[in-house]
Amino acid sequence: MLFQVQMNVRIPHDLDAAKADALKNAERERAQELQRSGIWRHLWRHAGRYANTSIFDVEGTQELHDILSALPLFPFMDIEVTPLCRHPSSVHADDR
Amino acid sequence: MLFQVQMNVRIPHDLDAAKADALKNAERERAQELQRSGIWRHLWRHAGRYANTSIFDVEGTQELHDILSALPLFPFMDIEVTPLCRHPSSVHADDR
Amino acid sequence: MLFQVQMNVRIPHDLDAAKADALKNAERERAQELQRSGIWRHLWRHAGRYANTSIFDVEGTQELHDILSALPLFPFMDIEVTPLCRHPSSVHADDR
Amino acid sequence: MLFQVQMNVRIPHDLDAAKADALKNAERERAQELQRSGIWRHLWRHAGRYANTSIFDVEGTQELHDILSALPLFPFMDIEVTPLCRHPSSVHADDR
Amino acid sequence: MLFQVQMNVRIPHDLDAAKADALKNAERERAQELQRSGIWRHLWRHAGRYANTSIFDVEGTQELHDILSALPLFPFMDIEVTPLCRHPSSVHADDR
Amino acid sequence: MLFQVQMNVRIPHDLDAAKADALKNAERERAQELQRSGIWRHLWRHAGRYANTSIFDVEGTQELHDILSALPLFPFMDIEVTPLCRHPSSVHADDR
Amino acid sequence: MLFQVQMNVRIPHDLDAAKADALKNAERERAQELQRSGIWRHLWRHAGRYANTSIFDVEGTQELHDILSALPLFPFMDIEVTPLCRHPSSVHADDR
Amino acid sequence: MLFQVQMNVRIPHDLDAAKADALKNAERERAQELQRSGIWRHLWRHAGRYANTSIFDVEGTQELHDILSALPLFPFMDIEVTPLCRHPSSVHADDR
Amino acid sequence: MLFQVQMNVRIPHDLDAAKADALKNAERERAQELQRSGIWRHLWRHAGRYANTSIFDVEGTQELHDILSALPLFPFMDIEVTPLCRHPSSVHADDR
Amino acid sequence: MLFQVQMNVRIPHDLDAAKADALKNAERERAQELQRSGIWRHLWRHAGRYANTSIFDVEGTQELHDILSALPLFPFMDIEVTPLCRHPSSVHADDR
């Protein structure tokens, strides 16, 4: 089941720099692990912004929440979730 | 080059029903043609809304505009365009 | 899987009155059928507004969309969908 | 009498970690106590966000305020309250 | 129990003038009847706008909805409802 | 002359606790003094929020500003002012 | 007493042209009459928009409403009212 | 003097098609005349939208208004005006 | 040339009190100097808010920016600028 | 390929002054370098605000992001990107 997730990252300027770097590194590692597993299907940067559009392929809303809320940068993200489904004009039986 | 396009369709209730159907059919045909050509990479319905998230793969902004503004339902759509690029944490050299 | 759905109904004043009544009656019938089947778990009116908060219990996003987009008043509704999951402080294993 | 309450929690990053944990634990305990008493009827997490939708069943607006404003995390919540009532299409005499 | 109700009236310019006048007259009559009964406690015009702030004193959310949704101009109003209660700094035991 | 004033209070979490308490106490005292004088006609809490709706009865805009800007919590409030006047459907010559 | 009034005019495209012209002429006449009387102190066009900023000098909120709601184009205006008073840094005892 | 002007065009679907075409043709002619005169310095389409960003080079706010309000499509445009000036980091004495 | 400027002042609560006072004093002095020179034509306080509406009479956008950006409280202001011009219904050749 | 970029700069008042100056100087140098290379085609200050409208001429969305995200003040900017293309009424084959 697909969900579109838009993440806007806002790291406070007074966060300790070493802590911020550690969080970003942990975030990258986790993001890549989830991409490799097929759960984080797409990950695109918004040009010119510290933001991304992601497509998650999960069992359901519980798995989606468990994954997102455990992301290292979760406390510094504004997240919008849009549930997706097949578009009647799609040429794909299953567009992932 | 990828662009995220969110389309919200608002067909006025007093539009002639036959005309509305013709426009929707033409829209579907054109959407499928563009999907087959690889330009309209992804097309997902927003669950519960007359709206979609689409990913277009075009040469640039001019081609994007020429395609979107020629869609049969263009006059009845609110469209938001977000330019995308590779995310530094993407595991793909080229995520399409 | 639970989704919160907020529906705001806006019936144009120049819609034919008989047609409007027919749509409202069909909407009520369908809403009751879906409540009896257990899919439309909760249906509450917003006091003082032509709006409601509903909780749907569906297999996933596709079923949710198929149901909502087929509602008789769908063309006259503004709909917001919020995917829900278990709250870690819930005392229920499964709060429906 | 039912009220829908949406809570968005924003804990400042520079709040003392031990204090934050104590507040969260107290919040959970109080939430569970109120659920067991039947006042906090439903409590659902918004998938992907530090937010919830809750349904409160109270005597009236005064009891609602006394309960919400005494929640341990109240100073860190943005709260929206929507008064609910029976929907004319509900199949339940009393949908709680 | 008190609720603050803000009503913005938007009468479409193409509504039949006689029908509009009839609705406004019926609205005034009903508003005065409800004021005399003590339910519609206060009714103030917003200076310079076709809008008002009202304070309703009702048994609960159901009575509030039944009254508001039966107002003759209800279909042409945008309504915001704010549940009120006693303010801890109020010098009145019961400020109506 | 009546003005509706909506106050949303946002006290920063890192404000000194003793100072915050002193401000709140001073605010309460001043609010009660103004209520007793008849200037602060009504004061209602928004259920579930650190906010209120107030009705002020003043000579004019200058007195309103002098009073509001001198409130102890003024620096921590978002304030919206709506000028009110008699509603043509009011049954009162002077609804205060 | 001064009030700032921002008026955005939206005349529906399907309003009868002769009626629209008559309303605009009547509006101009009334605006000039009120300017000459000193009540409509300032009247400035927003460059590039069918909108204006006006400063009204009235006895109070009731007079303001009586004047604004009787303007010929009132039904086609979105109006925002901001109550003004003397600024402590003003070099004028009375800036009109 | 430079002003940035963003125009969003919304032509009602029930406007007579011949009239709409005549307006669009007149708009194009006028836009080109103003570009040739150097007043309408830049004119860019927003990719995927019936909207543009324009840069006007005028004597002042009065000339700007006279030009914009006389555009054939002016009644169907939402217009935002942003006054511009030289940026301190500009490498141009006069960036037009 | 006239510009309407709305300034909302937000002084952070943790700004040094002496520094804040010095900035406010410098702001008042500069505001009075500019009023005396005829550039800052009008300065009105918004009743109940730390905000003002000002009318500036300047040579153009560059002078406006140079003046506003040099105000002592500029870093703590949200500013909205609206370019003004003569209203066709104004009874004044030049309304300042 | 052209993109319109609107930048709003918000430098926190508690950022170290020397660090802020160093960032601003580095920003100016980089902005001038990019202007000289032809990539940062236009750079205009919004009169009265710490904001600008810029036109970038880049190969595509990736180059745009690489440039913007490397700006020294990027962490303190709110950025909006609008993809542009040729306007059908432009008199220029290529308006840069």
Side-chain angles (χ1 to χ4, degrees):
Chain A
M1 201 177 308
L2 299 184
F3 292 85
Q4 171 185 334
V5 179
Q6 303 220 162
M7 307 178 188
N8 291 273
V9 189
R10 300 173 189 273
I11 295 181
H13 79 97
D14 53 356
L15 188 68
D16 177 71
K19 187 178 170 194
D21 283 346
L23 286 170
K24 289 181 199 173
N25 287 337
E27 178 81 18
R28 180 182 307 112
E29 260 182 62
R30 181 63 178 140
Q32 295 187 336
E33 181 180 19
L34 286 162
Q35 287 175 79
R36 283 192 202 98
S37 76
I39 286 173
W40 199 324
R41 295 287 308 176
H42 297 285
L43 170 55
W44 297 294
R45 176 63 85 208
H46 289 198
R49 302 175 62 106
Y50 197 173
N52 69 67
T53 291
S54 294
I55 306 293
F56 281 82
D57 185 0
V58 290
E59 291 297 308
T61 56
Q62 189 66 52
E63 188 186 6
L64 180 68
H65 183 72
D66 293 345
I67 287 169
L68 291 176
S69 62
L71 291 178
L73 287 175
F74 180 74
F76 304 111
M77 286 179 183
D78 287 338
I79 289 182
E80 285 176 59
V81 178
T82 307
L84 301 176
C85 61
R86 191 177 178 276
H87 193 285
S89 299
S90 176
V91 298
H92 306 289
D94 185 19
D95 180 2
R96 286 161 200 264
Chain B
M1 201 178 307
L2 298 186
F3 291 86
Q4 172 183 335
V5 179
Q6 303 222 163
M7 306 177 189
N8 291 271
V9 189
R10 299 172 190 274
I11 295 182
H13 79 96
D14 55 356
L15 187 69
D16 177 71
K19 187 177 170 192
D21 283 347
L23 286 170
K24 288 181 199 173
N25 286 337
E27 178 81 18
R28 182 182 305 112
E29 260 183 62
R30 181 65 179 141
Q32 295 186 336
E33 182 179 18
L34 286 162
Q35 287 174 80
R36 283 191 202 98
S37 74
I39 286 173
W40 198 324
R41 296 287 309 176
H42 297 285
L43 169 57
W44 297 294
R45 175 64 84 209
H46 289 198
R49 302 175 64 106
Y50 197 173
N52 69 68
T53 291
S54 294
I55 306 293
F56 281 81
D57 186 358
V58 291
E59 292 297 308
T61 57
Q62 188 66 53
E63 187 185 6
L64 180 68
H65 182 71
D66 293 345
I67 287 168
L68 291 176
S69 63
L71 290 178
L73 286 175
F74 179 75
F76 305 112
M77 287 179 182
D78 286 338
I79 289 183
E80 285 176 60
V81 178
T82 307
L84 302 176
C85 60
R86 190 175 178 277
H87 193 286
S89 299
S90 177
V91 297
H92 306 290
D94 184 20
D95 181 1
R96 287 159 199 268
Chain C
M1 201 178 308
L2 298 185
F3 291 86
Q4 172 184 335
V5 180
Q6 303 221 164
M7 306 178 189
N8 292 271
V9 188
R10 299 173 190 273
I11 295 181
H13 79 96
D14 54 355
L15 188 68
D16 177 71
K19 188 178 169 191
D21 283 346
L23 286 170
K24 289 180 198 172
N25 286 337
E27 178 81 18
R28 181 183 306 111
E29 261 182 61
R30 181 64 178 141
Q32 295 186 337
E33 181 180 20
L34 286 162
Q35 286 174 80
R36 283 190 203 100
S37 74
I39 287 174
W40 198 324
R41 296 286 310 174
H42 297 284
L43 170 57
W44 297 295
R45 176 63 85 208
H46 290 197
R49 302 175 63 107
Y50 197 173
N52 70 67
T53 291
S54 294
I55 306 292
F56 281 81
D57 186 358
V58 291
E59 292 297 309
T61 57
Q62 188 66 52
E63 187 186 8
L64 180 68
H65 182 72
D66 293 345
I67 286 169
L68 291 175
S69 63
L71 291 177
L73 287 175
F74 179 75
F76 304 111
M77 288 179 181
D78 286 339
I79 289 181
E80 284 176 60
V81 178
T82 306
L84 302 175
C85 61
R86 192 176 178 276
H87 193 285
S89 298
S90 177
V91 298
H92 306 290
D94 184 19
D95 181 0
R96 287 159 199 267
Chain D
M1 201 177 309
L2 298 185
F3 291 86
Q4 171 185 335
V5 179
Q6 303 221 162
M7 307 177 190
N8 291 272
V9 189
R10 299 172 190 272
I11 295 182
H13 79 97
D14 53 355
L15 189 68
D16 177 71
K19 187 178 170 193
D21 283 346
L23 286 170
K24 289 181 200 173
N25 287 337
E27 177 82 18
R28 180 182 306 111
E29 261 182 61
R30 181 64 178 141
Q32 294 186 337
E33 183 180 17
L34 286 162
Q35 287 174 78
R36 282 191 203 98
S37 74
I39 287 174
W40 199 324
R41 296 287 309 176
H42 297 285
L43 170 56
W44 297 294
R45 174 64 85 207
H46 289 199
R49 301 175 63 106
Y50 196 172
N52 69 68
T53 290
S54 293
I55 306 293
F56 281 82
D57 186 359
V58 290
E59 291 297 308
T61 57
Q62 189 66 54
E63 188 186 7
L64 180 68
H65 183 72
D66 293 345
I67 287 169
L68 291 176
S69 63
L71 291 178
L73 287 175
F74 179 74
F76 305 111
M77 286 179 183
D78 287 337
I79 289 183
E80 285 176 59
V81 178
T82 307
L84 301 176
C85 61
R86 190 176 178 278
H87 193 286
S89 299
S90 176
V91 298
H92 306 290
D94 184 20
D95 181 1
R96 287 160 200 265
Chain E
M1 201 178 308
L2 298 185
F3 291 87
Q4 172 184 335
V5 180
Q6 302 220 164
M7 306 178 189
N8 292 272
V9 189
R10 299 173 190 272
I11 296 182
H13 79 97
D14 55 354
L15 188 67
D16 177 70
K19 188 179 169 191
D21 283 345
L23 286 170
K24 289 180 198 172
N25 287 338
E27 178 81 18
R28 180 181 308 111
E29 261 183 61
R30 181 63 179 140
Q32 295 187 336
E33 182 179 18
L34 287 162
Q35 286 174 81
R36 283 192 203 98
S37 74
I39 286 174
W40 198 325
R41 296 286 309 175
H42 297 285
L43 170 56
W44 297 294
R45 175 63 85 207
H46 289 196
R49 301 176 63 107
Y50 197 173
N52 69 67
T53 290
S54 293
I55 306 293
F56 281 82
D57 186 359
V58 291
E59 291 298 308
T61 56
Q62 188 66 53
E63 187 186 7
L64 180 68
H65 183 72
D66 292 346
I67 286 169
L68 291 176
S69 63
L71 291 177
L73 286 176
F74 180 75
F76 304 111
M77 287 178 183
D78 286 339
I79 289 182
E80 285 176 60
V81 178
T82 307
L84 301 175
C85 61
R86 191 176 178 278
H87 193 285
S89 299
S90 177
V91 297
H92 307 291
D94 185 18
D95 181 1
R96 287 159 200 267
Chain F
M1 201 177 308
L2 299 185
F3 291 86
Q4 171 185 334
V5 180
Q6 304 221 163
M7 306 177 189
N8 290 273
V9 189
R10 299 173 190 274
I11 295 182
H13 78 97
D14 54 355
L15 189 68
D16 176 70
K19 188 179 169 192
D21 282 347
L23 287 170
K24 289 182 199 172
N25 287 337
E27 177 82 17
R28 180 182 307 110
E29 261 183 61
R30 181 63 179 141
Q32 294 186 337
E33 183 179 18
L34 286 162
Q35 287 174 80
R36 285 192 201 97
S37 74
I39 286 173
W40 199 324
R41 296 286 310 176
H42 297 285
L43 170 56
W44 296 295
R45 174 64 85 208
H46 289 198
R49 302 175 62 106
Y50 197 173
N52 69 68
T53 291
S54 293
I55 306 292
F56 281 81
D57 186 359
V58 289
E59 291 298 307
T61 56
Q62 188 66 53
E63 187 186 7
L64 180 68
H65 182 72
D66 292 345
I67 286 169
L68 291 176
S69 63
L71 291 177
L73 286 175
F74 180 74
F76 305 111
M77 287 179 181
D78 286 338
I79 289 183
E80 284 175 61
V81 178
T82 306
L84 301 176
C85 61
R86 191 177 178 275
H87 193 285
S89 299
S90 177
V91 298
H92 306 290
D94 185 20
D95 181 1
R96 287 160 200 266
Chain G
M1 200 177 309
L2 299 186
F3 291 86
Q4 171 184 335
V5 180
Q6 302 221 163
M7 306 177 188
N8 291 272
V9 190
R10 300 173 189 272
I11 296 182
H13 79 97
D14 55 355
L15 188 68
D16 177 71
K19 188 178 169 193
D21 283 346
L23 286 169
K24 289 181 199 174
N25 286 337
E27 178 81 18
R28 181 181 307 112
E29 262 182 61
R30 182 64 178 138
Q32 295 186 336
E33 182 179 18
L34 286 162
Q35 286 174 80
R36 283 193 202 98
S37 75
I39 287 172
W40 198 325
R41 296 286 309 176
H42 297 285
L43 170 56
W44 297 294
R45 175 64 85 207
H46 289 197
R49 302 176 62 106
Y50 197 173
N52 69 68
T53 290
S54 294
I55 306 293
F56 280 82
D57 185 359
V58 291
E59 291 298 308
T61 57
Q62 189 66 53
E63 187 186 7
L64 180 69
H65 183 72
D66 293 345
I67 286 169
L68 291 177
S69 63
L71 291 178
L73 287 176
F74 180 75
F76 305 111
M77 286 179 183
D78 286 339
I79 288 183
E80 284 176 61
V81 178
T82 307
L84 301 176
C85 62
R86 189 174 179 280
H87 193 285
S89 299
S90 177
V91 297
H92 306 290
D94 184 19
D95 180 2
R96 285 160 200 265
Chain H
M1 200 178 306
L2 299 186
F3 291 86
Q4 171 184 334
V5 180
Q6 301 221 164
M7 307 177 188
N8 291 273
V9 190
R10 299 173 190 272
I11 295 182
H13 79 96
D14 55 356
L15 187 68
D16 177 70
K19 188 178 169 193
D21 283 346
L23 286 170
K24 289 180 198 172
N25 286 336
E27 178 82 18
R28 182 182 306 113
E29 260 182 61
R30 181 64 179 139
Q32 295 187 336
E33 182 179 17
L34 287 161
Q35 287 174 80
R36 284 192 202 98
S37 75
I39 286 173
W40 198 325
R41 297 286 309 176
H42 297 285
L43 169 57
W44 297 293
R45 175 64 85 208
H46 289 197
R49 302 176 62 107
Y50 197 173
N52 69 68
T53 290
S54 294
I55 306 293
F56 281 81
D57 186 359
V58 290
E59 292 297 307
T61 57
Q62 189 66 53
E63 187 186 8
L64 180 69
H65 183 71
D66 293 345
I67 286 168
L68 291 176
S69 64
L71 290 178
L73 287 175
F74 180 74
F76 305 111
M77 286 179 182
D78 286 339
I79 288 183
E80 284 176 61
V81 177
T82 307
L84 301 176
C85 61
R86 190 174 179 277
H87 193 285
S89 299
S90 177
V91 297
H92 306 289
D94 184 20
D95 181 1
R96 285 159 200 266
Chain I
M1 200 178 306
L2 300 184
F3 291 86
Q4 171 184 334
V5 179
Q6 304 222 162
M7 306 178 190
N8 291 273
V9 189
R10 299 171 189 275
I11 295 181
H13 79 97
D14 55 355
L15 188 68
D16 177 71
K19 188 178 169 191
D21 283 346
L23 286 170
K24 289 181 198 171
N25 287 337
E27 178 81 17
R28 182 182 306 112
E29 259 183 63
R30 181 65 179 141
Q32 295 186 336
E33 182 179 18
L34 287 162
Q35 287 174 81
R36 285 193 202 98
S37 75
I39 286 173
W40 199 324
R41 296 288 308 177
H42 297 284
L43 170 56
W44 296 294
R45 175 63 84 209
H46 289 198
R49 302 175 62 107
Y50 197 174
N52 69 69
T53 291
S54 293
I55 306 292
F56 281 82
D57 186 359
V58 290
E59 291 297 307
T61 56
Q62 188 67 53
E63 187 186 6
L64 180 68
H65 183 71
D66 293 345
I67 286 169
L68 292 175
S69 63
L71 291 177
L73 286 175
F74 180 74
F76 304 111
M77 287 179 181
D78 286 338
I79 289 183
E80 284 176 60
V81 178
T82 307
L84 301 176
C85 61
R86 191 177 179 275
H87 193 285
S89 300
S90 176
V91 298
H92 306 291
D94 185 19
D95 181 2
R96 286 161 199 266
Chain J
M1 200 178 306
L2 299 184
F3 291 85
Q4 171 184 334
V5 180
Q6 303 222 161
M7 306 178 189
N8 292 272
V9 189
R10 300 172 189 274
I11 295 181
H13 79 97
D14 55 355
L15 188 67
D16 177 71
K19 188 178 169 191
D21 284 345
L23 286 170
K24 289 181 199 173
N25 286 337
E27 178 81 16
R28 181 182 306 112
E29 260 182 62
R30 181 65 178 139
Q32 295 187 336
E33 182 179 18
L34 286 162
Q35 287 174 80
R36 283 194 201 97
S37 74
I39 286 174
W40 199 324
R41 295 286 310 176
H42 297 285
L43 170 56
W44 296 295
R45 175 64 83 208
H46 289 197
R49 301 175 63 106
Y50 197 174
N52 69 68
T53 290
S54 294
I55 306 292
F56 281 82
D57 186 358
V58 290
E59 292 297 307
T61 55
Q62 189 66 52
E63 188 186 6
L64 180 69
H65 182 72
D66 292 346
I67 287 169
L68 292 175
S69 63
L71 291 177
L73 287 175
F74 180 75
F76 305 111
M77 287 179 182
D78 286 338
I79 289 183
E80 284 176 61
V81 178
T82 307
L84 302 176
C85 60
R86 191 176 178 277
H87 193 286
S89 299
S90 176
V91 298
H92 307 290
D94 185 19
D95 181 2
R96 285 161 200 266

